[in-house]
């Protein structure tokens, strides 16, 4: 099986070499890497050139800098990179971040999982971050969800679900849509992926605004959005946090901001959220 790996990168000169080195060191060699250079103004282009000059499996596309919107920016760059290739030539499509380090057997293990399990649509490992010189599990509560920095899709699954959506929440939307189509999302805990920097560090949006927009662009109806906002407020132990989230969510509704989801997909997402709520929180 052949991999197409697209890596969106913006000002990643210090991190990208670790990612590309870890790809060159893979035990599985049948892959193509496209680095989508999203308007970098540092030495990212020079870093990329070091690899494209010496290894024909590495290519790049130079993009104009896009607006820094959580979710949409990275998916837009990913799609631009994807468009440079003929998808018929590949079996597995990966969206990797420019600041991760993969273990040498990463692609080989992913390929084996797909080959032996035709129902697998999305496969990945677990994220680890460095704390006090030690790599520790990132701590995301859902160990059954493949995180955004290291997505590997079976091409048939990727195409059937319509690819990735240029919106906040894209890396949860994909999970819901592919499972609704009958594909499985699988996390292989033995695969440890090192995340060099913490995601979200560059975002300027307020946390309450982030959640309000996230719940809106995820397509949640008002009832489920309010429940989700309540859960976040409980974590923060702040009732005002709840009202700030709701205010942002309602502003998005009143402005009728464009959703990247069809009505049917919104229905699927809300049904899945309601099912999770009943099973996990209401014990129904």
């Amino acid at each position: 099986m052949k991999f197409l790996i697209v890596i969106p990168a913006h000002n990643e000169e210090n991190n990208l070499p670790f990612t590309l080195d870890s790809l060159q060191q893979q035990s599985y060699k049948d892959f193509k890497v496209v680095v989508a250079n999203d308007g970098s103004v540092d030495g990212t282009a020079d870093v990329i050139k070091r690899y494209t000059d010496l290894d024909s499996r590495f290519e790049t596309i130079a993009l104009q800098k896009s607006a820094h919107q959580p979710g949409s920016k990275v998916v837009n760059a990913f799609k631009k990179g994807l468009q440079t290739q003929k998808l018929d030539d590949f079996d597995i499509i990966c969206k990797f971040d420019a600041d991760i380090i993969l273990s040498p057997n990463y692609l080989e293990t992913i390929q084996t999982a797909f080959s032996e399990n035709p129902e697998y649509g999305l496969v990945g490992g677990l994220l680890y971050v460095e704390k006090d010189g030690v790599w520790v599990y990132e701590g995301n509560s859902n160990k059954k969800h493949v995180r955004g920095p290291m997505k590997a899709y079976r091409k048939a699954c990727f195409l059937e679900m319509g690819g990735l959506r240029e919106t906040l929440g894209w890396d949860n939307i994909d999970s819901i849509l592919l499972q609704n189509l009958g594909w499985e999302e699988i996390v292989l805990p033995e695969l440890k992926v090192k995340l060099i920097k913490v995601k979200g560090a560059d975002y300027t949006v307020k946390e309450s605004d982030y959640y309000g927009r996230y719940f809106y662009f995820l397509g949640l109806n008002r009832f489920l959005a309010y429940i989700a906002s309540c859960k976040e407020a409980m974590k923060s132990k702040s009732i005002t946090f709840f009202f700030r989230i709701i205010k942002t969510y309602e502003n998005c509704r009143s402005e009728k901001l464009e959703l990247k989801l069809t009505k049917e997909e919104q229905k699927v997402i809300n049904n899945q959220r309601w099912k999770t709520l009943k099973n996990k929180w209401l014990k129904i």
Side-chain angles (χ1 to χ4, degrees):
M1 304 180 82
K2 187 168 185 177
F3 287 75
L4 171 57
I5 301 167
V6 180
I7 303 175
H10 174 69
N11 291 346
E12 294 282 6
E13 65 172 329
N14 295 322
N15 300 318
L16 186 58
F18 292 99
T19 303
L20 300 186
D21 281 347
S22 72
L23 284 168
Q24 280 194 321
Q25 295 162 12
Q26 291 296 303
S27 57
Y28 194 82
K29 306 295 184 183
D30 195 5
F31 62 83
K32 170 69 68 70
V33 175
V34 179
V35 182
N37 185 3
D38 191 15
S40 299
V41 294
D42 63 354
T44 295
D46 295 330
V47 169
I48 298 170
K49 191 174 186 300
R50 294 205 300 266
Y51 294 84
T52 56
D53 282 352
L54 299 175
D55 192 330
S56 61
R57 296 175 301 174
F58 289 78
E59 296 182 7
T60 187
I61 177 175
L63 307 174
Q64 295 293 322
K65 181 182 177 182
S66 54
H68 193 175
Q69 294 294 328
S72 60
K73 173 185 172 69
V74 69
V75 175
N76 177 65
F78 168 81
K79 286 186 171 182
K80 296 292 186 183
L82 205 64
Q83 291 168 4
T84 67
Q85 304 297 311
K86 245 178 97 178
L87 296 190
D88 288 346
D89 297 336
F90 303 94
D91 305 288
I92 302 170
I93 297 174
C94 300
K95 179 268 170 196
F96 288 167
D97 276 6
D99 54 2
I100 59 174
I101 302 174
L102 305 170
S103 56
N105 68 330
Y106 195 86
L107 296 185
E108 182 178 2
T109 305
I110 295 289
Q111 189 275 154
T112 299
F114 277 125
S115 295
E116 296 180 352
N117 303 276
E119 70 278 12
Y120 286 5
L122 169 60
V123 180
L126 289 177
L127 280 181
Y128 284 71
V129 294
E130 188 176 13
K131 290 185 178 180
D132 301 322
V134 179
W135 290 95
V136 298
Y137 174 57
E138 183 201 27
N140 185 275
S141 60
N142 188 354
K143 287 189 176 183
K144 296 182 179 180
H145 175 55
V146 179
R147 304 275 276 114
M150 50 186 186
K151 301 274 194 176
Y153 305 90
R154 187 186 298 274
K155 182 180 67 175
C157 169
F158 182 86
L159 295 176
E160 188 176 358
M161 71 179 192
L164 305 186
R165 310 305 164 90
E166 293 179 46
T167 185
L168 189 61
W170 69 269
D171 61 336
N172 285 306
I173 290 171
D174 66 338
S175 173
I176 297 170
L177 295 183
L178 70 88
Q179 290 182 58
N180 182 63
L181 292 167
W183 297 98
E184 292 186 20
E185 176 184 19
I186 299 296
V187 172
L188 303 175
E190 69 273 20
L191 288 181
K192 298 181 179 180
V193 179
K194 297 177 179 177
L195 181 63
I196 302 173
K197 66 180 182 182
V198 178
K199 292 290 97 180
D202 297 331
Y203 294 164
T204 57
V205 64
K206 292 180 181 178
E207 190 176 16
S208 57
D209 290 343
Y210 173 89
Y211 282 115
R213 292 174 64 83
Y214 171 71
F215 297 147
Y216 174 80
F217 286 110
L218 193 59
L220 296 188
N221 60 38
R222 182 177 275 120
F223 173 74
L224 289 174
Y226 279 41
I227 293 293
S229 300
C230 184
K231 286 169 56 181
E232 295 304 326
M234 289 172 64
K235 292 178 186 177
S236 300
K237 298 179 180 179
S238 170
I239 187 64
T240 57
F241 190 55
F242 168 80
F243 288 111
R244 289 200 299 268
I245 297 174
I246 292 304
K247 180 180 179 181
T248 299
Y249 172 82
E250 291 294 347
N251 285 342
C252 291
R253 282 178 62 95
S254 63
E255 294 173 20
K256 298 181 179 180
L257 299 182
E258 180 187 6
L259 294 177
K260 302 294 183 177
L261 299 162
T262 66
K263 293 292 185 182
E264 183 60 32
E265 288 168 342
Q266 292 174 51
K267 183 178 178 180
V268 168
I269 290 170
N270 280 278
N271 287 342
Q272 189 273 348
R273 279 281 178 143
W274 176 236
K275 182 179 178 181
T276 300
L277 177 66
K278 289 193 296 184
N279 292 342
K280 185 175 181 180
W281 299 101
L282 302 181
K283 306 298 182 183
I284 299 176

